[in-house]
Amino acid sequence: MESYLFQGIEAAPDTLVVEGWHKPGSLTVASGAWISFAGSAVLDAGEHALIPHEQFVWLCVESGKAELQWNTTNLVLTESDTCILPAGQVPATLTVDSQAVCLWMALDGPLAATVVRKMGALLHVPLKQRALPSQTYLAKQIVQVVVRHSGTSNATYQLQHLMYGMLASQWGQPVAMDAMLSHEIAKVVDTLRAGQYKDNFSLAEMAAISRVPMETFRKRFVSEVGMPPLSYVLHCKMERAKELLRDQNYSVREAGAEVGMKDPYHFSKQFKNIVGISPSAFVKQAADPNLPRVPRKREKRHLKPESSEET
């Protein structure tokens, strides 16, 4: 059977390309978004043509390095880098220098575009992002489940759970590597979310919230979440900033201030380190000509009425 994603490559068990397809159950269809295909591949050096689809495809380089050429967009993807290939008949290739291991899943349904946007991606052009360790772990679980139950709806609810786990992780909700977060770590994650990442907590302050000694807190956070606390906070701040820039028409300065970075230079530098492009370049890419821009509702300043003297 030819691969869903790669032209001219056969996909089968015990080969370098393993994949399967999911038949969604009735409740899954009613939810509006589901995983239709998923797979993994060990790609040798060379240029690999991708098959265009009408579904959005989440693609992750688990290890190695690959360069994506999609229309006029070039993205260099290294370990744990991801992007979402927009739906549509646009030719694309993945060029590998040595060897790369990739994971992917296709999102289908009338609300798939909403899920894609909530994943921090754009609908009309691929955008490089960094996957959280929990997301890579969940993606591998998705591939295993789809391959094991390919062509059936036997695991439809499990796949929905895993898909929404990836989405929840993207937005800083308490998702651990292999189970729910402990109460102590979840308390810190919830505190960060409650302030919409405006606060700049130090490691010591986060440890104090958890009521766990600082070094113990740091080790437990890395063990449960998969990355250091401050790196996790920075990831969440940039996801929040992307939403403000893309959906709420915030300026670069305003978005930076909203996530606790009042220095525009510092914010732009951190944004580029995490997202891969500058905030201004992100705004330009996010300006999909097919989508109307929603004007931002700015708060009206209520002025005190001038007092009039009685005559």
Side-chain angles (χ1 to χ4, degrees):
M1 182 180 69
E2 187 180 20
S3 167
Y4 168 86
L5 191 61
F6 297 100
Q7 290 184 12
I9 295 181
E10 293 295 315
D14 302 320
T15 65
L16 296 180
V17 179
V18 180
E19 59 186 40
W21 65 278
H22 165 224
K23 179 182 178 182
S26 57
L27 288 179
T28 299
V29 171
S31 74
W34 59 87
I35 297 165
S36 56
F37 282 83
S40 64
V42 180
L43 300 176
D44 292 326
E47 186 176 281
H48 305 274
L50 304 183
I51 301 173
H53 289 284
E54 293 304 322
Q55 294 83 35
F56 295 95
V57 177
W58 181 89
L59 174 68
C60 174
V61 173
E62 185 183 3
S63 64
K65 178 182 176 182
E67 182 175 352
L68 173 70
Q69 173 73 45
W70 184 91
N71 201 0
T72 58
T73 300
N74 284 76
L75 298 179
V76 176
L77 306 173
T78 56
E79 184 176 347
S80 295
D81 282 342
T82 73
C83 70
I84 292 183
L85 305 177
Q89 299 300 310
V90 177
T93 58
L94 206 61
T95 303
V96 177
D97 290 336
S98 178
Q99 189 181 77
V101 179
C102 299
L103 305 168
W104 71 88
M105 61 179 180
L107 300 172
D108 206 346
L111 295 182
T114 302
V115 173
V116 167
R117 286 173 68 83
K118 286 295 183 182
M119 289 290 288
L122 303 176
L123 300 181
H124 62 295
V125 63
L127 177 70
K128 183 168 75 172
Q129 301 188 100
R130 194 75 170 170
L132 291 169
S134 55
Q135 292 176 310
T136 305
Y137 173 83
L138 290 169
K140 291 168 74 172
Q141 294 290 310
I142 287 170
V143 171
Q144 290 178 17
V145 171
V146 171
V147 170
R148 189 165 64 247
H149 299 283
S150 182
T152 76
S153 58
N154 293 343
T156 189
Y157 304 132
Q158 184 181 3
L159 285 171
Q160 288 299 94
H161 174 74
L162 292 168
M163 182 184 76
Y164 283 109
M166 290 188 68
L167 189 60
S169 183
Q170 182 79 20
W171 283 90
Q173 294 184 24
V175 178
M177 289 290 288
D178 57 359
M180 294 301 292
L181 293 179
S182 65
H183 172 74
E184 293 80 7
I185 303 302
K187 189 175 181 181
V188 175
V189 170
D190 288 340
T191 301
L192 295 169
R193 291 182 64 231
Q196 296 201 342
Y197 311 106
K198 290 181 181 179
D199 303 308
N200 295 308
F201 291 111
S202 66
L203 184 61
E205 288 170 331
M206 285 189 278
I209 294 170
S210 71
R211 296 188 177 182
V212 172
M214 186 166 70
E215 186 57 22
T216 303
F217 165 76
R218 186 190 66 79
K219 290 180 179 179
R220 282 186 56 180
F221 195 100
V222 172
S223 174
E224 293 187 33
V225 179
M227 63 196 306
L230 296 178
S231 298
Y232 176 78
V233 171
L234 194 57
H235 165 85
C236 292
K237 283 179 179 287
M238 294 305 110
E239 285 304 310
R240 171 68 175 151
K242 283 162 62 178
E243 180 191 31
L244 295 171
L245 292 168
R246 183 191 63 197
D247 298 335
Q248 300 186 34
N249 292 341
Y250 272 60
S251 68
V252 172
R253 180 183 293 273
E254 289 172 329
E258 193 69 15
V259 296
M261 298 182 181
K262 295 184 178 180
D263 181 352
Y265 174 78
H266 174 67
F267 167 66
S268 296
K269 183 178 179 181
Q270 294 294 341
F271 189 97
K272 188 171 184 178
N273 286 340
I274 300 297
V275 181
I277 56 177
S278 68
S280 56
F282 175 80
V283 171
K284 289 180 181 178
Q285 283 199 14
D288 185 346
N290 299 317
L291 291 175
R293 293 283 282 176
V294 178
R296 179 184 166 197
K297 294 181 180 179
R298 298 181 180 269
E299 294 182 0
K300 295 180 180 179
R301 295 179 61 189
H302 297 285
L303 301 177
K304 253 187 189 179
E306 295 180 358
S307 59
S308 57
E309 296 181 354
E310 293 183 2
T311 56

